[in-house]
Amino acid sequence: MSITNVSLATEDPFQQLTLRTGFYLQSIPDIALADMEVALRFWSEEVGKHAGFKAFITIYKSLDQMRTDFYQGKINFIVSSPLPIVDTFDPALLADGYKIVHSDTSAKNQLLIITHKNSGVNHFKDIKNKQLSILISDPISEMFVDLLSLKYFGKQAKEVFPNIDRIQRSNQLIFKLFFKKTDLILVYRNAYQLAIELNPQIKSNTRVISRLANIPRGLGFFHRKVNPKFRESVLAEMEKLETHPRGRQLMALFHAEKIQRSSIADLKTTQQLKKKYLQLIDRVRKQ
Amino acid sequence: MAVKIRSRFFLRVFIHFASLVLVIMLSFTFMMIPMQKKALLQIMYTQGVTVSRSIIQASSDAIITNDFGFIVEHNVEVLKNNPSIHYIAIAPLRGKTIWVDQTGWRVLEDPISLLTELQSEHIEYEIEHQQWEAEGYHLVYPIEFSGIKWGWLHVDFATDEYNAYIRDMYLQLVYLAGIAIVLLMVIGYFFARWVTRPVSIISDLATQVANGNLEVQSKIKRHDEIGVLSNSFNKMVQSLQQSKQKLENYNQQLEQEVKKRTLALDALNQNLDKKVKEEVHQRQEQERLLIHQSRLAAMGEMIGAIAHQWRQPLNALSLVLQNQHMNYQAGQLNDQAMSRSMEKSERLINKMSTTIDDFRNFFKPNKQAELFNINALVHTTVNLLDAQFKSHNIEINIACEENLNIKGFQGEFSQVILNLLNNAKDILLERQIVSPNISISAHRIANGISIRVSDNAGGIPDDIINKIYEPYFTTKEEGKGTGIGLYMSKMIVENNMMGKLYHYNNSEGAAFMIEIPTQLPK
């Protein structure tokens, strides 16, 4: 789905000095589509105006379409959660971009598995026949639960948990757990921390039994063919996003504390996780 | 003074008008404030009920299924979008209360008394500000589904807006009051001026009329009581003008009449003056005549006295002559006898000569006032009559203090004493008193000297006691008294010597008192 028409005035679209962002919608499940569209449109226009270049944004529901457009140069910058990038895009075509972080310390960018204290679950091994609730479109969560299920039970998650409840937003997951409507949830640490800030009773009534560290919530990468100077100038503006009123508004929407420069190295944890996951799958199949 | 009175009248009207409007305005304000507050409370109540219904409606499925997560999420969203809501609490009939406020949410382990106290079957509300930091409008909405009670929804709204509105209202009232007071001053001024100006004008005109200006006219033309007053004033002034004209005419007539009368009076006065002068002249002539008569009478009296005085030395001289004749006949007229007769005769003649001198001195007119001694004057005067008193056996008692000196006309005063002594002698002889006596005393009194001449002749009869000083009044036989002695005596004492002459009867007879000042007034 394209909300902005990108005109290709020159023969090589990568040489056009405009920022053409492709945004994979399902990588940020907590945010409503309408809010996202409005916020990104304003952001791209205002930041571009401020930095002296034109900016456009396209929100994608299909990764294949997003990949095709990126390879053809219709978009020259992609934004998504790390796993879709690892799954879909050739790392060799990616150049440095930015990432959304919730804290300076990467330890806080964690995916947590949380139970209720009275549920009797102290370890992932104890989760048999328990109700699991995860975010509705978070491939990392799906893969992490699958990975742990394969690791501890030699089965995929859908076999270990007869009913996996998929929910739109993180705070809904936390509410379900707090009010004992589910036994196990997967949420990112920033959402959990935020929920505790709003109600400290959550911390005293829940327990984290497992965590996956260094998982950035969202990342952006340029196409390698984009003019390096232009890339640097855009990234320099991105790093100043928090100084801009509209930028702060956008960061608040993503529950982000900072925008930092990203590199291919930021995909490493995800790549390793996927590699391990694939190994376990392969092992189980062989058995 | 007129200005002050007008100012007072203006001020009185102005103050009354301003007070009345101010009272009405304040009354209106004090009626408006509670009404406004009540209306605001009603608005808050409606707002509270609407919000509560909205929350319950949106959360109804979650409430029925006890999906507290949704309830919390929804209420967090409601609070996020409504900063004026302090908190929302969902209190199930059975179960723990869920509390959501602007900072977070929690499950209440123990119910808060504020919440439970207000929970009833009806919608309740209360403005509270003790338990929470900010004042709030707390509304409790009972939750029911199909007539089954589920619990209560508590919503607490900030009353900031309400308070701000009240503050604004008070401020507006203050502004309005300020504007109203200014308007009041201006309108009141013009109103008071409108009311008082014609009165002031008429008052001014009335003052001018009071000061005599009858040419003024009120130009106020109005169709109200002031207009009537103005017309009446003008009529009154016209009426006064006519009256004044009449008065002036009458005055002219009077003046003419007065002139006539004055002329007549002048003529009369001239005649009267002439008559008075004539009368005065006549009176002066009469007085002069009286004085002359008096003097003649006194001289007559004196001649009698001289006759009495001379009788004894003349007899003695006759005897000396008879003795000398007898000595001559007897041949005994020798030198010694002759010398003795001559010496005796000469002594008698000298005595007679002295008597003549005394009388001449008595009648010698005094042209200037001189200091004289009362005691000496009394003795001298008594000596003039001494022969007569002795021949009639009248006893004379003189008791005068020494050093009683007065300044005056000695001859005139001697005549007064002589008159009184003669009158006393005459009445004593007329009434044939057995032991007649006359007492003369003089002593000092305050500011003067008092001289008393009294007798024992029985006093003055009552029927004549008030007439004795009238001229020509006498009780003596014809030829013996002229009736001017006492009249002249009173004139001398009271007119010439500025004293007093009066009389009274005592147990023995009449007493005449002379009181004269030591010094004659200038």
Side-chain angles (χ1 to χ4, degrees):
Chain A
M1 183 184 72
S2 171
I3 59 169
T4 308
N5 293 322
V6 178
S7 63
L8 301 174
T10 59
E11 291 177 2
D12 184 0
F14 293 107
Q15 295 308 308
Q16 290 180 358
L17 299 183
T18 55
L19 178 62
R20 303 184 299 278
T21 303
F23 191 93
Y24 181 51
L25 178 66
Q26 289 179 330
S27 59
I28 311 289
D30 283 353
I31 304 163
L33 176 61
D35 292 347
M36 182 78 74
E37 281 183 354
V38 172
L40 288 174
R41 187 185 298 143
F42 274 112
W43 169 76
S44 60
E45 285 177 4
E46 289 200 14
V47 169
K49 197 185 294 177
H50 186 256
F53 56 80
K54 286 187 175 177
F56 309 96
I57 195 156
T58 308
I59 295 172
Y60 292 93
K61 281 186 178 175
S62 164
L63 271 174
D64 289 339
Q65 181 65 46
M66 188 173 162
R67 181 181 57 201
T68 303
D69 287 351
F70 186 65
Y71 286 176
Q72 289 176 352
K74 286 183 182 175
I75 55 174
N76 57 5
F77 191 83
I78 56 167
V79 177
S80 174
S81 54
L83 192 56
I85 293 173
V86 169
D87 282 344
T88 312
F89 296 92
D90 180 359
L93 293 175
L94 303 177
D96 287 0
Y98 63 83
K99 61 184 174 186
I100 297 166
V101 292
H102 301 291
S103 174
D104 285 336
T105 57
S106 58
K108 286 189 177 177
N109 296 314
Q110 296 173 347
L111 180 63
L112 306 175
I113 301 177
I114 308 170
T115 64
H116 200 281
K117 271 188 178 170
N118 299 330
S119 65
V121 178
N122 296 319
H123 192 269
F124 196 78
K125 288 183 284 188
D126 306 328
I127 50 89
K128 262 195 173 179
N129 298 321
K130 295 291 181 182
Q131 175 70 47
L132 172 67
S133 299
I134 61 173
L135 286 167
I136 202 165
S137 59
D138 187 24
I140 290 279
S141 293
E142 300 271 0
M143 194 173 73
F144 186 46
V145 169
D146 242 1
L147 188 142
L148 290 175
S149 298
L150 288 166
K151 184 179 177 181
Y152 291 108
F153 302 108
K155 295 175 184 175
Q156 281 193 292
K158 59 186 176 185
E159 295 173 69
V160 177
F161 301 100
N163 276 319
I164 297 176
D165 193 14
R166 288 179 174 80
I167 293 182
Q168 186 73 34
R169 290 191 297 276
S170 302
N171 59 342
Q172 288 173 327
L173 288 173
I174 296 166
F175 287 142
K176 274 182 96 73
L177 182 68
F178 182 82
F179 289 111
K180 298 179 182 174
K181 297 288 183 184
T182 188
D183 300 314
L184 199 67
I185 60 168
L186 264 79
V187 289
Y188 287 90
R189 188 173 178 201
N190 68 306
Y192 184 56
Q193 287 292 106
L194 187 65
I196 288 171
E197 280 177 24
L198 290 174
N199 183 0
Q201 290 171 327
I202 291 172
K203 188 177 184 182
S204 54
N205 286 311
T206 58
R207 176 186 295 130
V208 177
I209 60 167
S210 185
R211 66 188 73 208
L212 179 64
N214 293 325
I215 301 297
R217 194 69 201 281
L219 295 110
F221 290 102
F222 272 106
H223 197 290
R224 186 163 290 280
K225 288 182 179 175
V226 174
N227 185 304
K229 283 187 179 174
F230 178 67
R231 287 191 331 230
E232 289 303 319
S233 67
V234 171
L235 289 176
E237 282 301 320
M238 287 297 185
E239 286 174 7
K240 291 191 286 188
L241 194 65
E242 61 186 296
T243 63
H244 196 273
R246 189 68 73 181
R248 283 199 296 274
Q249 195 179 352
L250 190 73
M251 287 170 68
L253 185 69
F254 287 106
H255 307 297
E257 292 176 11
K258 274 184 177 300
I259 299 287
Q260 285 182 344
R261 189 183 182 98
S262 66
S263 66
I264 300 299
D266 288 316
L267 295 172
K268 191 176 177 182
T269 308
T270 310
Q271 286 168 336
Q272 286 174 346
L273 183 69
K274 186 182 176 185
K275 188 179 174 183
K276 194 173 181 181
Y277 171 72
L278 291 174
Q279 285 172 350
L280 283 170
I281 287 282
D282 193 43
R283 191 189 304 167
V284 167
R285 278 177 188 165
K286 284 177 182 174
Q287 286 174 354
Chain B
M1 190 63 184
V3 173
K4 283 182 182 173
I5 290 165
R6 280 205 301 279
S7 300
R8 279 207 300 271
F9 182 44
F10 172 83
L11 274 176
R12 207 174 295 160
V13 172
F14 177 74
I15 288 167
H16 277 88
F17 174 79
S19 303
L20 182 68
V21 176
L22 205 63
V23 166
I24 292 169
M25 195 181 73
L26 287 175
S27 306
F28 180 73
T29 304
F30 281 107
M31 280 168 64
M32 280 294 291
I33 289 172
M35 284 168 67
Q36 285 287 326
K37 282 185 174 177
K38 197 175 174 185
L40 283 171
L41 282 174
Q42 186 60 41
I43 289 168
M44 290 188 73
Y45 178 82
T46 308
Q47 185 187 2
V49 169
T50 305
V51 169
S52 300
R53 280 184 184 154
S54 165
I55 291 169
I56 291 165
Q57 198 171 4
S59 311
S60 58
D61 290 346
I63 289 169
I64 291 166
T65 58
N66 286 339
D67 184 358
F68 293 115
F70 179 85
I71 294 169
V72 170
E73 191 181 9
H74 178 70
N75 288 336
V76 165
E77 198 64 23
V78 169
L79 281 164
K80 200 163 82 179
N81 295 326
N82 295 281
S84 65
I85 300 177
H86 285 146
Y87 61 85
I88 297 170
I90 298 276
L93 203 59
R94 281 173 289 279
K96 292 177 180 174
T97 301
I98 297 168
W99 175 279
V100 185
D101 59 33
Q102 292 288 350
T103 60
W105 67 278
R106 63 186 183 278
V107 174
L108 297 181
E109 298 298 333
D110 298 310
I112 298 171
S113 61
L114 172 71
L115 304 183
T116 53
E117 279 169 9
L118 288 172
Q119 289 172 179
S120 73
E121 292 182 358
H122 309 287
I123 300 170
E124 300 285 350
Y125 66 87
E126 181 183 82
I127 293 180
E128 43 74 21
H129 47 78
Q130 293 178 342
Q131 194 156 354
W132 319 106
E133 286 182 4
E135 186 184 76
Y137 180 86
H138 186 113
L139 186 126
V140 185
Y141 195 94
I143 304 171
E144 283 184 13
F145 295 106
S146 305
I148 299 167
K149 289 175 191 168
W150 185 87
W152 293 271
L153 175 71
H154 297 261
V155 185
D156 192 88
F157 294 92
T159 54
D160 298 348
E161 203 174 335
Y162 166 80
N163 290 333
Y165 190 86
I166 295 287
R167 270 199 306 277
D168 285 350
M169 188 174 71
Y170 282 128
L171 270 176
Q172 282 172 1
L173 283 174
V174 169
Y175 292 146
L176 278 174
I179 292 166
I181 286 168
V182 172
L183 283 175
L184 206 65
M185 299 287 280
V186 174
I187 294 170
Y189 171 80
F190 284 108
F191 174 76
R193 195 163 169 261
W194 180 75
V195 169
T196 59
R197 195 160 180 268
V199 177
S200 300
I201 289 169
I202 292 173
S203 168
D204 270 343
L205 296 174
T207 307
Q208 289 182 45
V209 169
N211 290 333
N213 182 5
L214 295 178
E215 300 300 318
V216 295
Q217 281 285 306
S218 169
K219 293 174 183 172
I220 298 165
K221 304 286 179 195
R222 280 167 56 163
H223 301 288
D224 54 11
E225 286 80 354
I226 296 292
V228 172
L229 179 65
S230 172
N231 289 334
S232 302
F233 176 80
N234 288 339
K235 284 178 186 171
M236 184 189 78
V237 171
Q238 282 175 0
S239 174
L240 280 172
Q241 277 178 334
Q242 289 169 359
S243 299
K244 188 187 175 189
Q245 191 60 46
K246 281 182 184 173
L247 273 174
E248 281 176 354
N249 293 339
Y250 185 64
N251 267 346
Q252 284 177 353
Q253 288 174 359
L254 268 180
E255 279 177 11
Q256 286 173 357
E257 190 67 27
V258 166
K259 275 181 184 172
K260 277 184 195 172
R261 296 286 176 91
T262 306
L263 286 172
L265 273 174
D266 283 345
L268 195 65
N269 272 343
Q270 283 177 356
N271 287 334
L272 192 63
D273 191 40
K274 191 178 173 185
K275 282 184 180 175
V276 166
K277 280 178 181 171
E278 285 174 1
E279 285 295 322
V280 168
H281 181 70
Q282 282 179 2
R283 188 172 178 80
Q284 283 174 342
E285 280 295 313
Q286 210 166 11
E287 278 183 2
R288 195 174 55 79
L289 188 64
L290 275 173
I291 291 166
H292 182 67
Q293 285 179 343
S294 167
R295 282 187 172 273
L296 287 177
M299 285 180 74
E301 293 281 342
M302 285 302 106
I303 287 167
I306 291 167
H308 274 285
Q309 288 286 62
W310 277 13
R311 192 176 302 279
Q312 191 267 337
L314 281 174
N315 282 336
L317 195 59
S318 176
L319 286 173
V320 169
L321 288 174
Q322 282 177 9
N323 283 336
Q324 204 162 0
H325 182 68
M326 284 170 69
N327 287 333
Y328 176 71
Q329 285 176 340
Q332 294 175 349
L333 186 60
N334 55 19
D335 290 340
Q336 190 180 358
M338 192 65 186
S339 177
R340 199 169 48 243
S341 294
M342 281 303 291
E343 187 183 341
K344 194 172 181 178
S345 297
E346 198 170 332
R347 195 172 61 244
L348 289 169
I349 288 166
N350 282 339
K351 188 179 178 184
M352 289 170 71
S353 178
T354 301
T355 302
I356 292 291
D357 287 340
D358 287 344
F359 281 102
R360 193 176 57 196
N361 288 336
F362 182 79
F363 285 103
K364 186 173 70 180
N366 297 110
K367 291 183 180 176
Q368 284 187 333
E370 57 187 357
L371 195 67
F372 60 91
N373 186 270
I374 294 294
N375 190 31
L377 182 135
V378 168
H379 277 96
T380 302
T381 308
V382 168
N383 282 338
L384 291 175
L385 301 174
D386 187 48
Q388 290 181 5
F389 292 147
K390 281 179 179 170
S391 67
H392 294 110
N393 294 320
I394 295 170
E395 185 184 345
I396 299 295
N397 300 313
I398 297 171
C400 292
E401 290 179 14
E402 293 295 332
N403 300 322
L404 294 178
N405 298 319
I406 57 172
K407 194 171 184 181
F409 300 101
Q410 187 177 354
E412 290 181 355
F413 192 69
S414 289
Q415 192 176 342
V416 173
I417 299 297
L418 187 70
N419 282 335
L420 296 178
L421 291 174
N422 273 328
N423 285 344
K425 177 200 75 179
D426 290 343
I427 198 68
L428 284 170
L429 295 178
E430 182 187 320
R431 292 183 182 173
Q432 296 178 349
I433 301 301
V434 177
S435 300
N437 70 73
I438 295 171
S439 297
I440 303 163
S441 64
H443 61 275
R444 195 176 298 279
I445 59 169
N447 301 324
I449 293 165
S450 172
I451 301 153
R452 181 174 178 269
V453 179
S454 62
D455 57 52
N456 60 345
I460 305 164
D462 290 341
D463 55 336
I464 61 162
I465 197 162
N466 293 325
K467 298 177 182 175
I468 58 173
Y469 298 109
E470 291 177 6
Y472 304 112
F473 178 81
T474 182
T475 56
K476 296 176 184 174
E477 291 174 16
E478 196 168 340
K480 287 191 174 179
T482 59
I484 55 172
L486 277 178
Y487 169 75
M488 286 303 300
S489 296
K490 194 167 181 69
M491 279 185 64
I492 289 165
V493 171
E494 295 187 355
N495 291 351
N496 297 354
M497 303 186 79
M498 302 304 161
K500 276 168 72 179
L501 170 62
Y502 60 95
H503 65 278
Y504 60 88
N505 289 331
N506 57 24
S507 58
E508 292 183 334
F512 285 85
M513 297 295 297
I514 299 167
E515 290 177 2
I516 46 177
T518 313
Q519 291 290 332
L520 286 175
K522 290 178 182 176

